[in-house]
Amino acid sequence: MSALVGLFDSGLGGLTVLRRLQERYPHSSCLYLGDTARVPYGQRSAAEIRAIAAEVVAWLRHQQVGVLVMACNTSNALALDVAVAEAGVPVVGLIDSVAAELDSDCVGVLATPATANSGAYRRAIHACHPHAQVLEVGCPAFVPLIEAGDLQDPALEREALAYLAPLLAAGVDTVVMGCTHYPMLRSLLAGLLPPHVRLVDPAASAVRRLGPLLASMGGMPEGELGGVEVVPPALRTRVCVSGQAGAFAEAASRWLGYRPAVERVDLRSVA
Ligand code: DGL
């Protein structure tokens, strides 16, 4: 029996992490929490983001997760210490995971305003690559537009061009999607970048880091499924939200490839 993996985000974004996780570890059992009653996080104060993280992680701990994946860069940037203190189980972050794997002289980071202003990406990248140039750009328009559901909205391209302009002017060789909602814009962003610029999703690094942890907790690492029947993800995944369940199920099906049964939960019920 493998450990229950808990993931949380403000809304849909963390599903991009969940999907990668389930692709790589098809045997894993996951509990996803979208704090949709409070989305977006990225324009809140550090104090609010830390208080929210404490509440959400306490709820996840109460559900007996065995490992926690920060599927939200904003919480990771401003409240990793809160999550570690509250979780009581190992915590895997996106920011440290990707910083350790980057190989770049000039990195651009697209992120929520709270993440960009925190300087968390710059610190994490400099800890591994002291000479890399790091530019962090806050992208306030992206999350509300993505949550609204129309990825063809012309405002997305207009805003993307404006956010990428300073990075391209600085000659970045890598652009990190420093918010878990942004991989939903991957094809738009890739189309606006010159071919030599790498577009990086930190979830790939975080999910790789999770492997040894799952293995040490009795789960099977990827590629060692021989003879084990894989239960479909819909049956191994519990999806919960703090806001409206129906709308989330509809939007989530686009990213997960199946329509999850979504439960509305009261995060204060364990306080
Ligand atoms: N998807 C989250 C992140 O990675 C939060 C976005 C938001 O709610 O503003 O930062």
Side-chain angles (χ1 to χ4, degrees), residues 4-199:
L4 178 64
V5 183
L7 305 95
F8 78 94
D9 182 41
S10 58
L12 293 168
L15 296 175
T16 63
V17 184
L18 178 65
R19 186 172 61 182
R20 271 189 190 269
L21 195 159
Q22 294 187 322
E23 279 166 9
R24 182 146 184 153
Y25 309 115
H27 57 283
S28 56
S29 300
C30 299
L31 167 55
Y32 183 86
L33 175 73
D35 188 9
T36 51
R38 292 184 283 206
V39 67
Y41 284 175
Q43 283 154 80
R44 294 178 181 274
S45 68
E48 278 179 292
I49 292 163
R50 290 173 67 78
I52 289 172
E55 188 178 282
V56 168
V57 176
W59 184 84
L60 285 165
R61 188 189 62 222
H62 200 73
Q63 312 307 310
Q64 303 195 323
V65 299
V67 55
L68 177 68
V69 176
M70 306 287 286
C72 171
N73 288 268
T74 307
S75 309
N76 189 160
L78 289 135
L80 180 63
D81 58 325
V82 173
V84 168
E86 199 63 59
V89 295
V91 177
V92 176
L94 296 160
I95 300 176
D96 286 354
S97 300
V98 72
E101 289 190 355
L102 282 177
D103 174 20
S104 164
D105 296 324
C106 189
V107 189
V109 180
L110 299 177
T112 65
T115 301
N117 292 337
S118 76
Y121 265 98
R122 182 189 308 263
R123 283 193 300 282
I125 294 169
H126 281 162
C128 305
H129 315 281
H131 304 298
Q133 197 186 338
V134 183
L135 290 97
E136 295 156 289
V137 172
C139 311
F142 277 168
V143 170
L145 285 167
I146 294 168
E147 288 282 333
D150 180 7
L151 297 186
Q152 307 311 318
D153 189 328
L156 280 167
E157 180 165 349
R158 237 184 4 254
E159 298 293 346
L161 281 166
Y163 299 147
L164 288 171
L167 303 184
L168 295 175
V172 297
D173 55 47
T174 301
V175 170
V176 175
M177 293 182 281
C179 167
T180 53
H181 282 75
Y182 302 172
M184 296 175 175
L185 304 178
R186 178 183 271 280
S187 53
L188 168 69
L189 295 171
L192 298 176
L193 291 173
H196 70 276
V197 176
R198 283 185 300 263
L199 187 57

Side-chain angles (χ1 to χ4, degrees), residues 26-27 220 224-231:
H27 57 283
M220 287 161 293
E224 292 184 20
L225 283 170
V228 176
E229 196 184 336
V230 176
V231 181

